[in-house]
Amino acid sequence: MDDAYSVQTTALETGEPEPVEQLQALKSGDAFLVADAYGDVKSGADGLFDDDTRILSRLVVTLGGRRPSRLSSGVSQDNVFFTFHGTNRPLPPMGGRAAPAGILHVERRRFLHDRRLFERIRVTNHGGEDVMLPLEVDYDADFVDIFQVRGTPRDKAGTIHPPKLDGRRALFAYDGLDGVRRTGCLSFSEPPHRMTDRRAEFMLTLGKGRVIDLHVECGGGVCDEPSEARFRVHGVKARLAMRAKRRRGASVRGPRSPRFNDWLDQSRADVALLTTDLPTGPYPYAGTPWFSTPFGRDGIITAWQMLWLDPSLAKGVLTYLAARQATERSAFQDAEPGKIMHETRRGEMSALGEVPFGLYYGGVDTTCLFVALAGAYARRTGDLDLIRAIWPNLIAAAGWITGPANMTGDGFVRYARAAETGLSNQGWKDSYDSIFHADGRFPDGPVALVEVQGYAFAAFQALADLSNVLGLADGAGWADRAETMRARVEAEFWREDLGYYAVALDGAGAPCRAIGSNPGHLLFCGLPSTARAHAVTKQLMSARFRSGWGLRTLATGQARYNPMSYHNGSVWPHDTSLCAAGMARYGERQAVALLLSEIYSAAAHFHLRLPELFCGFERETGEPPIAYPVACLPQAWAAGSVFLMLQAALGVSIDAFDGRVDVDDPFLPPGIERLNVWNLEVGDARLDLAFRRLDHHTVVTSQNRVGPVRLRSSR
């Protein structure tokens, strides 16, 4: 991200910082909760957020003034419940009697549903005597904007009102500078012994062998009175809603690899957690905590990763983005007619224009990807009704690609921010220092990124394909544009002495000869010649890129290489997945299976949940991958990576127009002997696929076919 809006590592340095991997996230709609391994919210990066505003900035439970000792904690595999198990430290004398450590079991169990936090604090006395237990809950509500939490400074803010207390509730209110009153509440099932603006104190009597529950609810607006019944009913609803999202589309299982199945389940659950059902359909939000909102690029790529299994995500993403396509020019928003949204936000700073992200269009690749995804979705589903509905949007997007985006008249899609408030780099590597010449100099704009030209090529091909299917006359014209783009990229970006593509062209047309992972995306789009694709694959699979945990974003030895950076040498699972899918287009399935195995090994060290990125240090025997301190976890296109890489390794493509599933030279990852794909829908038909290793090859058979669908396999 650009420096002005980047996530600062100091956001975590408050109080007693927990290791990043122990931060726990829950989400419901536009609300999400980030807490530490104890379940506590202590400011820093923690909090209960709704509409990009932190509703609850502190929620800390203590027993006799001390945090309980943690035994274990974590989020359930379906991402619905967080559970903490702990025990008491020695309690202060109450009535002349002190309770020793380790006799009380403390369980905190919580979930989000309907954008509200439901929590049950359960204490069980396993000691031999009755216990008087002082239990305290500290709380606060700072109504800070998500960009302030991320580290963006702010000179002034609105008015926070003192909490209103009514016996068992604290009601919070904040009048923002945007004229909006934001409210929140914290409610207890039992009246506290004492309650102040920042603390509720309870005096609980536990007979030996007895259990006592305290229920807590928190959210925007006014809370209902918590109870066991409400906790149970809303918990069931939350679990059923998540189950419905997880079961959309086809499923993949490796029957003889339980650990691999757990990774598939966790990844599917993470995509489901981040997917919000909007009026336009399901949309995968980018990631928590920093990007829990619709992003254009992230939503499109996640939908593409999941397309072969669950096309409903692509339909929801296309519909949402079409409805927010720019129709006017705005330098502050980096908007131009036809451009597709990069990001949207709902917080106070966005509403006031302190940051441009209320509805921001500063992504040079999103518009091309939007058109390309529409073509892929139509081929996958045969759904021409949606294509007809958004056809004007596709044509408007193409008009931007061939018009305003062609800033220097050389036919390439370029970017240069229109205002100083915008992002300086507008591709997926949008750090201020992520695009540079071989000597480390930053290029003068407008900049043409190599992968974006691939996306434009794919967009033109999609328009040619769709025009032909719809019976329109301009299919040949779009096909000609695609081939012209191919020729231009091959002529201007390919560097014969490097045996590789330049990462970008600067405003004067000079190549930025830094060696990055970006050309792997060209392979994903199918632009390079076969010989050049194999040359790119050879470099990507070399030790310069392969860390042993996936592909680095920048080759070792480059001027700005730093394995701890955001974009200049770290490993991004989604980037590895796109490069791998590109290699598969050119028949490099063994390389894909190897990368999938490496990413799986990384996931195993991250509790089967791939983060947004991690450091690009070389893999050492017996040592885990090194976490990036403020990576989103979970993150949608990281979670979706396994499914795109599996599709690439298995060689699966689907043509709903022809009622056909093609499997080309499938290759199972090392250690996986069998794999099944169930309930794969193709138009109105469906079938199951069974892959198994036979001698040194992988074979596929179809099962349970319903309707007119054919399986065509090269082996």
Side-chain angles (χ1 to χ4, degrees), residues 258-295:
R259 186 71 168 163
F260 191 75
N261 284 338
D262 288 344
W263 182 34
L264 296 175
D265 289 342
Q266 184 65 67
S267 299
R268 198 66 180 264
D270 285 350
V271 173
L273 173 71
L274 294 168
T275 297
T276 298
D277 289 321
L278 301 173
T280 47
Y283 201 107
Y285 286 11
T288 59
W290 313 116
F291 307 120
S292 187
T293 188
F295 271 72

Side-chain angles (χ1 to χ4, degrees), residues 19-24 74-75 77 79 259 262-263 266-267 270 547-550 563 570-573 598-617 619 623-635 638-639:
V20 160
E21 63 271 21
Q22 292 190 354
L23 289 177
Q24 307 291 338
V75 176
Q77 191 176 54
N79 287 325
R259 186 71 168 163
D262 288 344
W263 182 34
Q266 184 65 67
S267 299
D270 285 350
S547 68
W549 305 113
S570 54
V571 175
W572 288 64
E598 292 181 354
I599 285 286
Y600 170 44
S601 297
H605 286 284
F606 290 113
H607 308 292
L608 300 179
R609 169 179 273 178
L610 283 171
E612 175 188 19
L613 72 153
F614 47 90
C615 294
F617 292 106
R619 183 174 181 172
E623 296 183 10
I626 298 173
Y628 185 81
V630 289
C632 281
L633 188 69
Q635 219 252 4

Side-chain angles (χ1 to χ4, degrees), residues 182-362:
R182 294 170 172 85
T183 61
C185 68
L186 182 69
S187 182
F188 300 99
S189 59
E190 302 293 333
H193 174 71
R194 181 171 178 265
M195 192 172 188
T196 69
D197 287 357
R198 298 290 181 266
R199 169 177 277 206
E201 299 176 355
F202 299 85
M203 187 60 65
L204 308 177
T205 302
L206 277 82
K208 65 178 182 178
R210 300 299 299 270
V211 179
I212 192 167
D213 289 343
L214 176 66
H215 289 274
V216 184
E217 291 186 21
C218 182
V222 178
C223 291
D224 293 317
E225 185 174 308
S227 67
E228 176 64 30
R230 283 180 56 79
F231 183 86
R232 185 172 59 253
V233 168
H234 283 274
V236 169
K237 289 181 178 179
R239 184 147 266 169
L240 289 175
M242 183 64 74
R243 183 181 301 170
K245 288 196 286 186
R246 291 178 66 192
R247 291 182 175 178
R248 287 173 176 153
S251 60
V252 185
R253 303 290 289 174
R256 293 191 179 180
S257 179
R259 186 71 168 163
F260 191 75
N261 284 338
D262 288 344
W263 182 34
L264 296 175
D265 289 342
Q266 184 65 67
S267 299
R268 198 66 180 264
D270 285 350
V271 173
L273 173 71
L274 294 168
T275 297
T276 298
D277 289 321
L278 301 173
T280 47
Y283 201 107
Y285 286 11
T288 59
W290 313 116
F291 307 120
S292 187
T293 188
F295 271 72
R297 177 192 304 123
D298 296 61
I300 290 170
I301 290 178
T302 304
W304 209 322
Q305 291 171 326
M306 301 300 297
L307 181 60
W308 70 295
L309 298 173
D310 181 12
S312 71
L313 287 182
K315 183 174 184 178
V317 167
L318 290 168
T319 305
Y320 180 91
L321 295 177
R324 285 155 182 79
Q325 187 173 36
T327 57
E328 298 178 348
R329 186 181 301 273
S330 167
F332 181 67
Q333 295 175 293
D334 262 316
E336 292 171 316
K339 215 171 176 186
I340 296 298
M341 180 198 86
H342 168 70
E343 176 181 359
T344 183
R345 295 285 185 172
R346 295 166 298 280
E348 180 185 6
M349 292 176 70
S350 296
L352 290 169
E354 295 177 24
V355 294
F357 303 115
L359 191 56
Y360 183 60
Y361 294 86

Side-chain angles (χ1 to χ4, degrees), residues 500-543:
Y500 206 66
Y501 292 92
V503 72
L505 302 181
D506 67 15
C512 297
R513 293 165 53 91
I515 306 298
S517 63
N518 307 58
H521 297 216
L522 274 190
L523 274 60
F524 175 72
C525 299
L527 184 147
S529 68
T530 300
R532 289 180 177 179
H534 289 319
V536 170
T537 298
K538 183 177 180 180
Q539 291 222 34
L540 289 174
M541 295 301 291
S542 72

Side-chain angles (χ1 to χ4, degrees), residues 465-497:
D465 192 26
L466 293 173
S467 295
N468 292 334
V469 172
L470 294 172
L472 302 176
D474 46 1
W478 292 117
D480 288 344
R481 283 186 180 273
E483 291 308 311
T484 299
M485 177 62 81
R486 187 201 301 270
R488 285 173 176 156
V489 171
E490 296 283 50
E492 299 299 327
F493 282 85
W494 179 257
R495 300 290 98 189
E496 193 65 43
D497 60 325

Side-chain angles (χ1 to χ4, degrees), residues 21 67 160 168 217 271 285 383 392 394 415 424 542 553 625 665 680 684 695 714:
E21 63 271 21
R67 297 176 94 186
I160 297 179
R168 64 177 68 186
E217 291 186 21
V271 173
Y285 286 11
D383 180 8
L394 297 175
Y415 69 88
S424 58
S542 72
T553 53
D665 191 22
L680 191 65
D684 295 328
D695 295 328
S714 65

